[in-house]
């Protein structure tokens, strides 16, 4: 029996993604091996590969950058001169930018400090545009294209429109960041995402964990959830608002969100510093390293409550691992035990608690990675854009 | 440019599901219209349809069962004589069974009362096997096949193996229900699932809601989550354990799960009855209907706490609707306002609160529906089994 494919165009795009995925997974692979691995006809593989090579997504016959023992030194591989992803994070007190190649290597990075809470969106977005232009120039100097731009923000982003609904800790509301950036740079294809989500993408990239929640304590508390190797965004893109889960049912402090007794009011950075009687995270870690009683108790108390809130998330979502990021990564040596104790009391299955290996560059890296993923998932669309130019 | 499909076998199966989905969505559709709607070649459509008709999944040229005004009275439609799904629920105090056709119509139903907490798994599973045999006989008498069997249980079911890990309210641990049922009935293809999950499938079927959480209060509290028209099971199949989220951080009652201050200890059926000073749900609704103070206060208090726990779930998962099922459906007139008030305080986006239209048959219907969905998702595999016999 012979059955026609479900639409030639769709099949072509799926085949391109399939072939590229195999090339990414087995650098140095030959066309013949690709046909054997994918089950596609050799002629099909050749057509797809030619197109990927023409778009410079794939390089053929070059020495491999990551050749290991026993691997062939040539064949097909992701091109280091292929399209790069450009990621920017608008932090509460910094801007970060990364340029990442198809294999995930960082090709350009810049972080500029500065309190964005005291600045209008238009001022901050002009600085963002400058950063994007600098990274784009760096890409051009290296002879590579920027294939997509991602911007990470500390707020609720509508999944469908990319609109920043509200960023409480910046004091921003209803900002169309993609449009503002496009107006300032002339660059389209700007994807806006939540910083905790994009930091989780970076974590996924580095750890290879398929399922985890990454929770970070900063001015606010954010959670990014990865399930089955994909970001879990929720129906409207607002998932992961762990900071506003109720942890003090009666008599809790008022939160910036308007409710009382949210996790942020007890386990947020400011609450921890207040409970420890210190002014900064540096002061806190200094005291913790000398086993200062109030400092250790403040972090342990926050850890218990954080662990209880995470247990609730795990009981409803069934996620087997937690990654502590941001300030929580800094405090991990003192947070780990109380978090594990609270999880152990409330969750039937074992939960792994890990410390993030990322610094403040996590969300910018995740935003750049997301742009790269979009190309890897549909390389044919990128090849078409290149062919049209 | 021409590209070969990504494996003939896979394409054939995908095409069969595609064609069947179109037939289900547009009963009375012609072969020509199917080709136009799917983009498949007419010859392909005919091959697929012939196979579906041979397997009795699709009927051709028969008068339609659900022909409405303006619809054609013949053409292709799901066959009422096609494979049926058989669903069983092992409740804490009843067994329920349903036989459901491809279009979702209930063809056979039986519910038997009896407290399963005082019975060994082997005794209960023998009763389950009798129920399955009765339903299978009813199917044979009607001239239809049972295409798959689902069993719903009030406990944690391992997604990969189907093993019932623990059902606290039955007092069961580590029961391989699929194997036990197969031994007693000779029937393979038994899928075991969590009752809250399968009740959510039934709710999805009746409401058409794409994204919601269905929470039901019985002896325990269960939540079934549907996202993007699919059940959300979590990594190991244990998602939806809302009953064990912490709601009393300090000094809460001990829960059956071993932790303190779980939602079940405050908003479970027993806790509500105790707070209202009554012995049964019937007594409670009688008092509520006369606006008895302690009864109204007990339900309102439970509703506030339930709403706060649901707000936590919604803040981390971003789900826009809640369906109250089981005892909560009975109490909905008195629960609704306090639940909405708690949600309104803690969730930025509006959340819809609905009352389930199902009675105790929800999970059995969901289990039967899941069996039907498995056939609809891969009709070619079913056709192959039929052809092999």
């Amino acid at each position: 029996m012979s059955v026609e494919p479900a639409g030639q165009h769709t099949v072509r795009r799926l085949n391109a993604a399939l072939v590229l995925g195999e090339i990414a997974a087995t650098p140095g692979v030959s066309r013949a091996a690709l046909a054997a691995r994918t089950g596609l006809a050799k002629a099909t593989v050749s057509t797809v590969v030619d197109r990927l090579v023409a778009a410079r997504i794939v390089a053929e016959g070059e020495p491999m950058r990551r050749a290991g023992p026993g691997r062939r030194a040539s064949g097909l591989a992701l091109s280091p001169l292929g399209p790069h992803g450009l990621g920017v994070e608008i932090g509460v007190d910094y801007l970060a930018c990364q340029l990442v190649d198809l294999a995930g290597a960082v090709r350009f990075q810049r972080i500029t400090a500065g309190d964005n809470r005291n600045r209008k969106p238009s001022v901050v977005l002009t600085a963002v545009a400058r950063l994007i232009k600098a990274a784009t120039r760096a890409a051009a100097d290296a002879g590579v294209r920027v294939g997509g731009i991602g911007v990470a923000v500390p707020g609720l982003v509508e999944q469908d429109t990319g609109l920043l609904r509200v960023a409480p800790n910046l004091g921003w509301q209803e900002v169309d960041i993609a449009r503002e950036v496009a107006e300032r740079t002339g660059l389209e294809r700007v994807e806006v995402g939540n910083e905790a989500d994009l930091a989780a993408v970076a974590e996924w990239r580095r750890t290879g964990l398929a399922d985890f929640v990454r929770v970070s304590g900063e001015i606010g508390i954010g959670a990014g959830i990865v399930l089955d190797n994909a970001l879990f965004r929720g129906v409207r893109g607002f998932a992961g608002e762990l900071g506003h889960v109720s942890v003090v049912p009666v008599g809790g402090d008022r939160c910036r969100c308007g409710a009382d007794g949210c996790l942020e009011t007890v386990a947020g950075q400011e609450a921890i510093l207040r409970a420890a009687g210190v002014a900064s995270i540096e002061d806190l870690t200094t005291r913790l390293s000398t086993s200062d009683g109030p400092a250790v108790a403040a972090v342990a108390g926050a850890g218990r409550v954080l662990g209880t809130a995470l247990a609730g998330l795990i009981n409803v979502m069934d996620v087997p691992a937690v990654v502590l990021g941001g300030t929580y990564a800094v405090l991990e040596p003192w947070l780990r035990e109380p978090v594990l104790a609270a999880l152990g009391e409330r969750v039937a299955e074992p939960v792994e608690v890990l410390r993030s290996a990322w610094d403040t560059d996590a969300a910018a890296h995740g935003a750049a990675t997301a742009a790269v993923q979009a190309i890897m998932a549909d390389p044919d669309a990128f090849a078409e854009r290149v062919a049209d130019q």
Side-chain angles (χ1 to χ4, degrees), chain A:
Chain A
M1 194 183 97
S2 167
V3 174
E4 297 296 313
Q8 291 290 354
H9 188 62
T10 308
V11 171
R12 191 179 79 186
R13 293 171 79 156
L14 291 174
N15 285 342
L18 180 67
V19 166
L20 183 57
E22 284 296 330
I23 292 171
T26 50
V29 69
S30 68
R31 289 173 185 235
L34 276 177
R37 281 168 176 276
T38 59
L40 295 174
K42 283 183 189 171
T44 306
V45 168
S46 271
T47 309
V48 170
V49 167
D50 287 348
R51 201 168 157 88
L52 295 173
V53 170
R56 290 179 91 169
I57 296 171
V58 166
E60 189 160 28
E62 292 179 356
M64 284 179 52
R65 281 187 299 127
R66 299 198 296 189
R71 281 191 173 164
R72 297 172 52 176
S74 72
L76 299 167
L78 293 177
S79 171
L81 297 177
H84 283 39
L86 197 167
V88 177
E89 181 191 3
I90 303 174
V92 172
D93 47 12
Y94 61 89
L95 296 177
C97 177
Q98 277 204 357
L99 192 65
V100 169
D101 76 8
L102 289 173
V106 177
R107 297 286 158 201
F108 172 88
Q109 164 150 342
R110 191 169 294 175
I111 297 179
T112 60
D115 194 338
N116 294 319
R117 281 177 290 193
N118 303 323
R119 297 159 81 195
K120 284 188 206 163
S122 62
V123 175
V124 175
L125 290 168
T126 297
V128 167
R130 269 201 304 274
L131 214 43
I132 289 174
K133 284 177 188 163
T136 307
R137 267 196 307 275
D141 291 348
V144 300
R145 279 170 188 272
V146 172
I149 300 175
V151 179
V153 289
L156 295 180
V157 178
E158 282 187 4
Q159 192 162 2
D160 294 345
T161 61
L163 184 75
L164 172 63
R165 185 75 73 79
V166 56
N169 294 316
L170 285 174
W172 293 10
Q173 278 190 323
E174 309 287 331
V175 185
D176 188 344
I177 289 175
R179 190 172 55 76
E180 303 269 346
V181 169
E183 278 174 8
R184 286 168 172 79
T185 60
L187 298 168
E188 305 286 339
R189 306 190 177 280
V190 177
E191 291 283 333
V192 182
N194 172 269
E195 57 84 19
D197 284 351
L198 292 166
V201 170
E203 211 68 63
W204 168 80
R205 180 84 217 186
R206 193 169 277 186
T207 64
L209 283 173
D211 306 281
F212 64 93
V213 52
R214 180 191 199 268
V215 61
S216 66
E218 317 281 9
I219 311 292
I221 293 175
I225 302 160
V226 169
L227 295 179
D228 201 10
N229 292 304
L231 197 54
F232 178 88
R233 289 181 190 271
V235 172
R236 294 158 296 201
F238 304 156
E241 288 298 316
L242 187 71
H244 303 291
V245 165
S246 165
V247 296
V248 187
V250 180
D253 290 342
R254 178 59 48 99
C255 180
R256 255 180 294 256
C257 77
D260 295 335
C262 293
L263 179 62
E264 267 184 29
T265 67
V266 180
Q269 186 172 308
E270 287 170 15
I272 295 175
L273 296 179
R274 201 167 48 240
V278 295
S280 72
I281 292 295
E282 292 68 34
D283 288 352
L284 181 61
T285 50
T286 304
R287 296 219 188 167
L288 287 167
S289 62
T290 62
S291 300
D292 173 73
V296 171
V299 175
R304 293 282 308 184
V305 177
L306 174 64
T308 302
L310 282 167
L313 183 152
I314 290 166
N315 273 317
V316 299
M317 296 195 70
D318 183 22
V319 184
V322 172
V323 179
L324 300 174
T327 299
Y328 292 154
V330 177
L331 300 179
E332 187 265 354
W334 301 276
L335 269 180
R336 184 185 181 72
E337 285 309 317
V339 167
L340 274 172
L343 288 171
E345 274 174 28
R346 311 203 65 85
V347 180
E349 303 294 315
V351 178
E352 215 176 341
V353 175
L354 306 160
R355 177 184 185 165
S356 172
W358 287 98
D359 202 349
T360 44
D361 48 354
H365 187 82
T369 300
V372 165
Q373 283 180 318
I375 296 167
M376 294 292 291
D378 192 359
D380 201 63
F382 178 80
E384 218 155 74
R385 293 209 302 277
V386 172
D388 286 349
Q389 285 168 2

